[in-house]
PDB file of all heavy atoms in Angstrom:
ATOM      1  N   ASP A 159      -2.226 156.637  50.245  1.00  0.00           N
ATOM      2  CA  ASP A 159      -2.766 156.613  49.009  1.00  0.00           C
ATOM      3  C   ASP A 159      -1.883 155.612  48.082  1.00  0.00           C
ATOM      4  O   ASP A 159      -2.393 155.044  47.100  1.00  0.00           O
ATOM      5  CB  ASP A 159      -2.864 157.873  48.407  1.00  0.00           C
ATOM      6  CG  ASP A 159      -3.955 158.814  48.944  1.00  0.00           C
ATOM      7  OD1 ASP A 159      -4.818 158.186  49.605  1.00  0.00           O
ATOM      8  OD2 ASP A 159      -3.852 160.081  48.896  1.00  0.00           O
ATOM      9  N   ILE A 160      -0.648 155.652  48.237  1.00  0.00           N
ATOM     10  CA  ILE A 160       0.260 154.689  47.458  1.00  0.00           C
ATOM     11  C   ILE A 160       0.193 153.243  48.048  1.00  0.00           C
ATOM     12  O   ILE A 160       0.098 152.390  47.204  1.00  0.00           O
ATOM     13  CB  ILE A 160       1.710 155.242  47.628  1.00  0.00           C
ATOM     14  CG1 ILE A 160       1.858 156.586  46.937  1.00  0.00           C
ATOM     15  CG2 ILE A 160       2.708 154.301  47.040  1.00  0.00           C
ATOM     16  CD1 ILE A 160       3.295 157.304  47.145  1.00  0.00           C
ATOM     17  N   MET A 161       0.044 153.100  49.320  1.00  0.00           N
ATOM     18  CA  MET A 161       0.362 151.802  49.918  1.00  0.00           C
ATOM     19  C   MET A 161      -1.015 150.960  49.849  1.00  0.00           C
ATOM     20  O   MET A 161      -0.964 149.715  49.574  1.00  0.00           O
ATOM     21  CB  MET A 161       0.786 151.899  51.371  1.00  0.00           C
ATOM     22  CG  MET A 161       0.901 150.665  52.086  1.00  0.00           C
ATOM     23  SD  MET A 161       1.314 150.815  53.855  1.00  0.00           S
ATOM     24  CE  MET A 161      -0.337 151.226  54.536  1.00  0.00           C
ATOM     25  N   ILE A 162      -2.194 151.607  50.075  1.00  0.00           N
ATOM     26  CA  ILE A 162      -3.421 150.867  50.081  1.00  0.00           C
ATOM     27  C   ILE A 162      -3.774 150.116  48.810  1.00  0.00           C
ATOM     28  O   ILE A 162      -4.062 148.875  48.923  1.00  0.00           O
ATOM     29  CB  ILE A 162      -4.575 151.808  50.557  1.00  0.00           C
ATOM     30  CG1 ILE A 162      -4.404 152.184  52.025  1.00  0.00           C
ATOM     31  CG2 ILE A 162      -5.923 151.163  50.331  1.00  0.00           C
ATOM     32  CD1 ILE A 162      -5.426 153.056  52.545  1.00  0.00           C
ATOM     33  N   PRO A 163      -3.679 150.752  47.618  1.00  0.00           N
ATOM     34  CA  PRO A 163      -3.913 149.841  46.489  1.00  0.00           C
ATOM     35  C   PRO A 163      -3.057 148.639  46.272  1.00  0.00           C
ATOM     36  O   PRO A 163      -3.401 147.593  45.792  1.00  0.00           O
ATOM     37  CB  PRO A 163      -3.715 150.880  45.191  1.00  0.00           C
ATOM     38  CG  PRO A 163      -3.861 152.213  45.877  1.00  0.00           C
ATOM     39  CD  PRO A 163      -3.381 152.160  47.287  1.00  0.00           C
ATOM     40  N   ILE A 164      -1.755 148.780  46.642  1.00  0.00           N
ATOM     41  CA  ILE A 164      -0.884 147.648  46.683  1.00  0.00           C
ATOM     42  C   ILE A 164      -1.221 146.537  47.468  1.00  0.00           C
ATOM     43  O   ILE A 164      -1.297 145.417  47.195  1.00  0.00           O
ATOM     44  CB  ILE A 164       0.621 148.165  46.915  1.00  0.00           C
ATOM     45  CG1 ILE A 164       1.092 149.192  45.878  1.00  0.00           C
ATOM     46  CG2 ILE A 164       1.594 146.947  46.932  1.00  0.00           C
ATOM     47  CD1 ILE A 164       2.491 149.840  46.191  1.00  0.00           C
ATOM     48  N   LEU A 165      -1.531 147.016  48.784  1.00  0.00           N
ATOM     49  CA  LEU A 165      -1.918 145.996  49.802  1.00  0.00           C
ATOM     50  C   LEU A 165      -3.229 145.309  49.441  1.00  0.00           C
ATOM     51  O   LEU A 165      -3.396 144.118  49.587  1.00  0.00           O
ATOM     52  CB  LEU A 165      -2.036 146.647  51.057  1.00  0.00           C
ATOM     53  CG  LEU A 165      -0.777 146.931  51.875  1.00  0.00           C
ATOM     54  CD1 LEU A 165      -0.906 147.830  53.121  1.00  0.00           C
ATOM     55  CD2 LEU A 165      -0.044 145.644  52.363  1.00  0.00           C
ATOM     56  N   LYS A 166      -4.138 146.082  48.967  1.00  0.00           N
ATOM     57  CA  LYS A 166      -5.380 145.380  48.601  1.00  0.00           C
ATOM     58  C   LYS A 166      -5.259 144.357  47.362  1.00  0.00           C
ATOM     59  O   LYS A 166      -5.861 143.309  47.485  1.00  0.00           O
ATOM     60  CB  LYS A 166      -6.464 146.580  48.182  1.00  0.00           C
ATOM     61  CG  LYS A 166      -7.030 147.310  49.353  1.00  0.00           C
ATOM     62  CD  LYS A 166      -8.317 147.953  48.959  1.00  0.00           C
ATOM     63  CE  LYS A 166      -9.083 148.477  50.165  1.00  0.00           C
ATOM     64  NZ  LYS A 166     -10.479 148.653  49.909  1.00  0.00           N
ATOM     65  N   LYS A 167      -4.429 144.744  46.488  1.00  0.00           N
ATOM     66  CA  LYS A 167      -4.160 143.791  45.391  1.00  0.00           C
ATOM     67  C   LYS A 167      -3.518 142.561  45.834  1.00  0.00           C
ATOM     68  O   LYS A 167      -3.955 141.453  45.566  1.00  0.00           O
ATOM     69  CB  LYS A 167      -3.314 144.440  44.243  1.00  0.00           C
ATOM     70  CG  LYS A 167      -4.078 145.305  43.310  1.00  0.00           C
ATOM     71  CD  LYS A 167      -4.784 144.388  42.269  1.00  0.00           C
ATOM     72  CE  LYS A 167      -5.421 145.259  41.085  1.00  0.00           C
ATOM     73  NZ  LYS A 167      -4.449 145.683  40.193  1.00  0.00           N
ATOM     74  N   ASP A 168      -2.488 142.685  46.802  1.00  0.00           N
ATOM     75  CA  ASP A 168      -1.827 141.626  47.386  1.00  0.00           C
ATOM     76  C   ASP A 168      -2.682 140.772  48.219  1.00  0.00           C
ATOM     77  O   ASP A 168      -2.690 139.480  48.175  1.00  0.00           O
ATOM     78  CB  ASP A 168      -0.588 142.074  48.250  1.00  0.00           C
ATOM     79  CG  ASP A 168       0.515 142.558  47.316  1.00  0.00           C
ATOM     80  OD1 ASP A 168       0.434 142.464  46.075  1.00  0.00           O
ATOM     81  OD2 ASP A 168       1.523 143.023  47.860  1.00  0.00           O
ATOM     82  N   PHE A 169      -3.558 141.405  48.982  1.00  0.00           N
ATOM     83  CA  PHE A 169      -4.425 140.655  49.869  1.00  0.00           C
ATOM     84  C   PHE A 169      -5.494 139.876  49.129  1.00  0.00           C
ATOM     85  O   PHE A 169      -5.872 138.723  49.353  1.00  0.00           O
ATOM     86  CB  PHE A 169      -5.298 141.543  50.844  1.00  0.00           C
ATOM     87  CG  PHE A 169      -4.574 141.851  52.137  1.00  0.00           C
ATOM     88  CD1 PHE A 169      -3.321 142.339  52.154  1.00  0.00           C
ATOM     89  CD2 PHE A 169      -5.128 141.698  53.309  1.00  0.00           C
ATOM     90  CE1 PHE A 169      -2.554 142.660  53.327  1.00  0.00           C
ATOM     91  CE2 PHE A 169      -4.513 142.045  54.489  1.00  0.00           C
ATOM     92  CZ  PHE A 169      -3.215 142.491  54.483  1.00  0.00           C
ATOM     93  N   LYS A 170      -5.926 140.577  47.913  1.00  0.00           N
ATOM     94  CA  LYS A 170      -6.889 139.740  47.050  1.00  0.00           C
ATOM     95  C   LYS A 170      -6.172 138.536  46.463  1.00  0.00           C
ATOM     96  O   LYS A 170      -6.823 137.482  46.384  1.00  0.00           O
ATOM     97  CB  LYS A 170      -7.315 140.676  45.896  1.00  0.00           C
ATOM     98  CG  LYS A 170      -8.406 140.149  44.999  1.00  0.00           C
ATOM     99  CD  LYS A 170      -9.005 141.016  44.018  1.00  0.00           C
ATOM    100  CE  LYS A 170      -9.980 140.339  43.134  1.00  0.00           C
ATOM    101  NZ  LYS A 170     -10.510 141.302  42.139  1.00  0.00           N
ATOM    102  N   ILE A 171      -4.993 138.701  46.048  1.00  0.00           N
ATOM    103  CA  ILE A 171      -4.234 137.540  45.497  1.00  0.00           C
ATOM    104  C   ILE A 171      -4.232 136.318  46.521  1.00  0.00           C
ATOM    105  O   ILE A 171      -4.438 135.195  46.163  1.00  0.00           O
ATOM    106  CB  ILE A 171      -2.733 137.844  45.199  1.00  0.00           C
ATOM    107  CG1 ILE A 171      -2.766 138.828  43.824  1.00  0.00           C
ATOM    108  CG2 ILE A 171      -1.911 136.619  44.933  1.00  0.00           C
ATOM    109  CD1 ILE A 171      -1.428 139.416  43.584  1.00  0.00           C
ATOM    110  N   TYR A 172      -3.870 136.673  47.700  1.00  0.00           N
ATOM    111  CA  TYR A 172      -3.929 135.542  48.762  1.00  0.00           C
ATOM    112  C   TYR A 172      -5.339 135.085  49.118  1.00  0.00           C
ATOM    113  O   TYR A 172      -5.526 133.865  49.241  1.00  0.00           O
ATOM    114  CB  TYR A 172      -3.274 136.043  50.057  1.00  0.00           C
ATOM    115  CG  TYR A 172      -3.305 135.030  51.115  1.00  0.00           C
ATOM    116  CD1 TYR A 172      -2.551 133.809  51.095  1.00  0.00           C
ATOM    117  CD2 TYR A 172      -4.095 135.204  52.284  1.00  0.00           C
ATOM    118  CE1 TYR A 172      -2.782 132.753  51.969  1.00  0.00           C
ATOM    119  CE2 TYR A 172      -4.275 134.197  53.299  1.00  0.00           C
ATOM    120  CZ  TYR A 172      -3.409 133.059  53.172  1.00  0.00           C
ATOM    121  OH  TYR A 172      -3.519 132.071  54.153  1.00  0.00           O
ATOM    122  N   GLU A 173      -6.395 136.025  49.255  1.00  0.00           N
ATOM    123  CA  GLU A 173      -7.636 135.594  49.623  1.00  0.00           C
ATOM    124  C   GLU A 173      -8.433 134.806  48.470  1.00  0.00           C
ATOM    125  O   GLU A 173      -9.261 134.042  48.786  1.00  0.00           O
ATOM    126  CB  GLU A 173      -8.393 136.746  50.075  1.00  0.00           C
ATOM    127  CG  GLU A 173      -7.931 137.269  51.449  1.00  0.00           C
ATOM    128  CD  GLU A 173      -8.346 138.661  51.870  1.00  0.00           C
ATOM    129  OE1 GLU A 173      -9.009 139.391  50.988  1.00  0.00           O
ATOM    130  OE2 GLU A 173      -8.003 139.134  52.976  1.00  0.00           O
ATOM    131  N   MET A 174      -7.976 135.093  47.225  1.00  0.00           N
ATOM    132  CA  MET A 174      -8.598 134.327  46.124  1.00  0.00           C
ATOM    133  C   MET A 174      -7.870 133.026  45.808  1.00  0.00           C
ATOM    134  O   MET A 174      -8.285 132.280  44.894  1.00  0.00           O
ATOM    135  CB  MET A 174      -8.697 135.253  44.898  1.00  0.00           C
ATOM    136  CG  MET A 174      -9.536 136.570  44.975  1.00  0.00           C
ATOM    137  SD  MET A 174     -11.305 136.143  45.067  1.00  0.00           S
ATOM    138  CE  MET A 174     -11.662 136.323  46.903  1.00  0.00           C
ATOM    139  N   TYR A 175      -6.703 132.881  46.435  1.00  0.00           N
ATOM    140  CA  TYR A 175      -5.939 131.649  46.154  1.00  0.00           C
ATOM    141  C   TYR A 175      -6.632 130.377  46.571  1.00  0.00           C
ATOM    142  O   TYR A 175      -7.217 130.302  47.703  1.00  0.00           O
ATOM    143  CB  TYR A 175      -4.540 131.665  46.919  1.00  0.00           C
ATOM    144  CG  TYR A 175      -3.743 130.495  46.900  1.00  0.00           C
ATOM    145  CD1 TYR A 175      -3.168 130.032  45.788  1.00  0.00           C
ATOM    146  CD2 TYR A 175      -3.695 129.685  48.159  1.00  0.00           C
ATOM    147  CE1 TYR A 175      -2.423 128.794  45.831  1.00  0.00           C
ATOM    148  CE2 TYR A 175      -2.960 128.623  48.103  1.00  0.00           C
ATOM    149  CZ  TYR A 175      -2.337 128.161  46.969  1.00  0.00           C
ATOM    150  OH  TYR A 175      -1.531 126.850  47.092  1.00  0.00           O
ATOM    151  N   ARG A 176      -6.729 129.288  45.764  1.00  0.00           N
ATOM    152  CA  ARG A 176      -7.345 128.125  46.010  1.00  0.00           C
ATOM    153  C   ARG A 176      -6.350 126.978  45.800  1.00  0.00           C
ATOM    154  O   ARG A 176      -5.782 126.869  44.638  1.00  0.00           O
ATOM    155  CB  ARG A 176      -8.607 127.828  45.268  1.00  0.00           C
ATOM    156  CG  ARG A 176      -9.733 128.961  45.528  1.00  0.00           C
ATOM    157  CD  ARG A 176     -10.274 128.814  46.982  1.00  0.00           C
ATOM    158  NE  ARG A 176     -11.380 129.676  47.127  1.00  0.00           N
ATOM    159  CZ  ARG A 176     -11.126 130.900  47.619  1.00  0.00           C
ATOM    160  NH1 ARG A 176      -9.872 131.445  47.936  1.00  0.00           N
ATOM    161  NH2 ARG A 176     -12.189 131.834  47.796  1.00  0.00           N
ATOM    162  N   PHE A 177      -6.076 126.200  46.806  1.00  0.00           N
ATOM    163  CA  PHE A 177      -5.043 125.149  46.726  1.00  0.00           C
ATOM    164  C   PHE A 177      -5.695 124.030  45.935  1.00  0.00           C
ATOM    165  O   PHE A 177      -6.736 123.603  46.146  1.00  0.00           O
ATOM    166  CB  PHE A 177      -4.668 124.758  48.152  1.00  0.00           C
ATOM    167  CG  PHE A 177      -3.815 123.483  48.166  1.00  0.00           C
ATOM    168  CD1 PHE A 177      -2.527 123.414  47.715  1.00  0.00           C
ATOM    169  CD2 PHE A 177      -4.380 122.268  48.609  1.00  0.00           C
ATOM    170  CE1 PHE A 177      -1.750 122.303  47.730  1.00  0.00           C
ATOM    171  CE2 PHE A 177      -3.561 121.114  48.636  1.00  0.00           C
ATOM    172  CZ  PHE A 177      -2.320 121.136  48.289  1.00  0.00           C
TER     173      PHE A 177
END
Side-chain angles (χ1 to χ4, degrees):
D159 288 343
I160 293 172
M161 185 182 75
I162 287 175
I164 296 171
L165 283 170
K166 282 200 165 201
K167 277 284 188 77
D168 286 359
F169 273 55
K170 185 177 182 179
I171 286 169
Y172 176 65
E173 290 167 355
M174 294 294 101
Y175 168 72
R176 297 294 181 268
F177 170 70

